[in-house]
């Protein structure tokens, strides 16, 4: 009779293997990070895919607009430009039923001038922009604009922020931004641990390059990990800046900045009682060239946007707008009657360090800070992120059982990662999860949902295993 191997008594003097130390792989962070990275990657990746595609398209918007709207954005130089007052008069003559609200003078010799009008047919945040040839005064066309964005940029911006579904659609982008840094840092930890383990085993530990000698799932993992590390700084940047203007987490960021005095300063355009006009400014009486000269004396330089006051007692707002490699957004309030500067914002003096960083971050996220280079970098990050996600799903597919259904899914990492942590680490992890979930509400809600689903799946599997064991008895 053959005795089963697992029933043989241990030899005399045999000592049981001691429990693994707390820092070992069996009692370390890796199982927990593997499972977190796996589930967050699988479940959040669809949101990241949409964000990467829509963000990549938005990065192309300035170039596409130059092609689509080139007939109204540009003019052929033909002698000296007309005074801005005459250009504005030409636009008002084309739309006599609308009230002029401001203008964006041509910043270069080949650009047209935009004259803005309040249009009741548009929503409260949009204006009618009339494009005027600065040399002839001819109206080249008009478009609805949203904070200076033409229709294509407006549509692509809405697609990226909320899928053009309004406020409910912003949930998707906030989930993507809130989880992106978690997925990226989790992947870095795992890839760095693998490289360290390879070096300890006498193999080449690769962190930034791909081991081309590998095949199959190892080759996919090499590409997934190495490209992810190359993209890490960009992904963390996009996550942080995306969170700042999200709905729920963004409100927490705004509250913190406001309480610490880190918010963006606002230009005071109110005139003193002695300067205040009894009636609103008539756009036809403003010497726009003289207003720009006065603003330039206060450090506000082209390209700028001029905003006329909506009521009496207010000055004209002249604010710098984005151009490649411009770091400032100086602004000045100019009294159109005597051309005196009644208020100003000096970027280097009035912005706090955090406000500067936030302003630069948002403009870089939108592709404005460094022009075409900025836009190409964003497009490259979007494409790179898509390849990392595709390879992540491919790794999951390559872990599927080779027998059984052809459509079997890949195995998930082993359960019990949290139970392998030291109790003190579990307490610290729980506190961190609650704090992060408060600051990033949608991350907290989705994390709780992931945990609940995981517990349900675990309970179902445990029940199924017990039933099979009882049938085999």
């Amino acid at each position: 009779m053959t005795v089963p191997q697992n029933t043989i008594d241990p030899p005399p003097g045999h000592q049981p293997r001691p429990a693994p130390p707390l820092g070992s792989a069996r009692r370390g962070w890796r199982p927990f990070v593997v499972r977190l990275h796996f589930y967050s990657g699988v479940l959040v990746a669809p949101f990241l895919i949409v964000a990467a595609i829509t963000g990549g398209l938005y990065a192309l918007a300035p170039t596409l607009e130059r092609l689509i709207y080139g007939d109204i954005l540009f003019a052929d130089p033909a002698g000296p430009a007309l005074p801005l007052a005459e250009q504005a008069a030409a636009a008002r003559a084309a739309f006599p039923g609308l009230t002029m609200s401001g203008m964006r003078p041509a910043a270069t010799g080949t650009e047209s001038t935009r004259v803005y009008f309040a249009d009741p047919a548009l929503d409260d945040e949009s204006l009618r922009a009339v494009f005027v040839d600065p040399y002839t005064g001819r109206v080249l066309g008009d478009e609805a604009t949203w904070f200076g964005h033409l229709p294509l940029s407006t549509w692509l911006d809405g697609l990226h922020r909320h899928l053009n579904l309004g406020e409910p659609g912003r949930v998707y982008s906030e989930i993507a931004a809130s989880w992106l840094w978690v997925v990226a840092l989790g992947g870095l930890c795992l890839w760095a641990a693998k490289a360290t383990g390879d070096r300890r085993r006498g193999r080449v530990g690769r962190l930034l390059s791909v081991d081309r000698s590998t095949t199959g799932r190892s080759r996919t993992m090499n590409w997934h990990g190495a490209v992810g590390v190359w993209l890490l700084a960009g992904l963390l940047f996009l996550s942080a800046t995306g969170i700042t203007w999200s709905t729920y987490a963004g409100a927490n960021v705004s509250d913190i900045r406001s309480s610490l005095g880190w918010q963006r300063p606002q230009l005071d355009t109110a005139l003193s009682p002695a300067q205040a006009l009894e009636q609103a400014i008539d756009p036809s009486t403003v010497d726009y060239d003289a207003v720009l000269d006065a603003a330039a004396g206060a450090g506000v330089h082209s390209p700028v946007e001029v905003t006329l006051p909506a009521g009496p007692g207010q000055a004209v707002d002249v604010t710098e707008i984005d151009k490649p490699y411009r770091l400032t957004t100086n602004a000045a309030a100019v009294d159109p009657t005597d051309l005196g500067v009644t208020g100003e914002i000096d970027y280097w003096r009035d912005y706090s360090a955090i406000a500067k960083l936030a302003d630069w971050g948002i403009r870089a996220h939108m592709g404005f800070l460094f022009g075409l280079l900025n836009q190409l970098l964003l497009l490259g990050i979007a494409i790179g992120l898509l390849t990392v996600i595709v390879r992540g799903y491919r790794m999951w597919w390559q872990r599927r059982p080779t027998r059984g259904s052809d459509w079997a899914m890949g195995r998930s990492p082993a359960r019990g990662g949290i139970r392998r942590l030291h109790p003190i680490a579990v307490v610290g992890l729980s506190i961190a999860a609650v704090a992060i979930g408060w600051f990033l509400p949608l991350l907290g809600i989705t994390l709780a949902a992931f945990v609940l689903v995981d517990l349900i799946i675990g309970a179902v599997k445990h029940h199924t295993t017990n039933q099979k064991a009882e049938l085999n008895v």
Side-chain angles (χ1 to χ4, degrees), residues 195-348:
T196 302
D198 287 343
R199 285 195 293 269
R200 288 175 178 172
R201 298 182 185 95
R203 298 197 294 265
V204 177
R206 299 176 184 270
L207 188 65
L208 297 174
S209 61
V210 176
D211 183 359
R212 298 180 182 274
S213 66
T214 58
T215 59
R217 185 172 178 274
S218 292
R219 182 71 173 269
T220 306
M221 181 186 294
N222 267 261
W223 277 103
H224 178 81
V227 175
V229 172
W230 278 104
L231 295 176
L232 181 65
L235 297 180
L236 295 179
F237 167 78
L238 292 177
S239 176
T241 51
I243 286 171
T244 58
W245 65 62
S246 61
T247 301
Y248 304 105
N252 290 333
V253 173
S254 297
D255 290 342
I256 292 174
R257 290 180 60 185
S258 178
S259 63
L260 296 176
W262 291 344
Q263 68 270 37
R264 180 174 181 166
Q266 300 297 313
L267 179 67
D268 183 7
T269 59
L271 297 174
S272 66
Q275 296 171 312
L277 303 176
E278 295 182 359
Q279 297 180 344
I281 295 173
D282 183 352
S284 64
T285 63
V286 177
D287 186 341
Y288 297 99
D289 289 292
V291 167
L292 292 187
D293 289 340
V300 182
H301 303 291
S302 179
V304 298
E305 194 157 275
V306 178
T307 302
L308 297 176
Q314 300 291 319
V316 176
D317 179 338
V318 183
T319 301
E320 292 179 341
I321 58 176
D322 292 303
K323 74 172 182 178
Y325 303 99
R326 165 182 272 178
L327 298 179
T328 62
T329 51
N330 293 337
V334 180
D335 184 344
T337 57
D338 62 11
L339 302 178
V341 175
T342 63
E344 60 182 279
I345 292 177
D346 182 282
Y347 193 88
W348 301 111

Side-chain angles (χ1 to χ4, degrees), residues 117-196:
F117 293 88
D119 190 342
L122 304 176
D123 61 67
D124 293 339
E125 293 184 335
S126 298
L127 295 172
R128 176 73 55 191
V130 179
F131 296 82
V132 179
D133 186 324
Y135 303 100
T136 66
R138 182 171 64 92
V139 173
L140 303 175
D142 68 281
E143 292 287 352
T145 59
W146 176 73
F147 294 106
H149 295 295
L150 291 170
L152 177 62
S153 287
T154 301
W155 189 84
L156 290 176
D157 180 271
L159 184 68
H160 183 55
R161 287 191 302 125
H162 49 57
L163 302 177
N164 284 318
L165 298 175
E167 283 300 314
R170 295 184 70 176
V171 170
Y172 114 83
S173 60
E174 184 163 349
I175 290 176
S178 298
W179 274 99
L180 181 56
W181 67 274
V182 178
V183 178
L185 290 179
L188 174 66
C189 292
L190 295 176
W191 188 237
K194 181 181 183 303
T196 302

Side-chain angles (χ1 to χ4, degrees), residues 32 36 179 433-434 436-437 441-453:
F32 166 74
L36 176 65
W179 274 99
V434 171
I436 294 173
L442 291 189
L443 186 150
I445 292 171
T446 50
L447 176 60
F450 293 168
V451 171
L452 179 61
V453 170

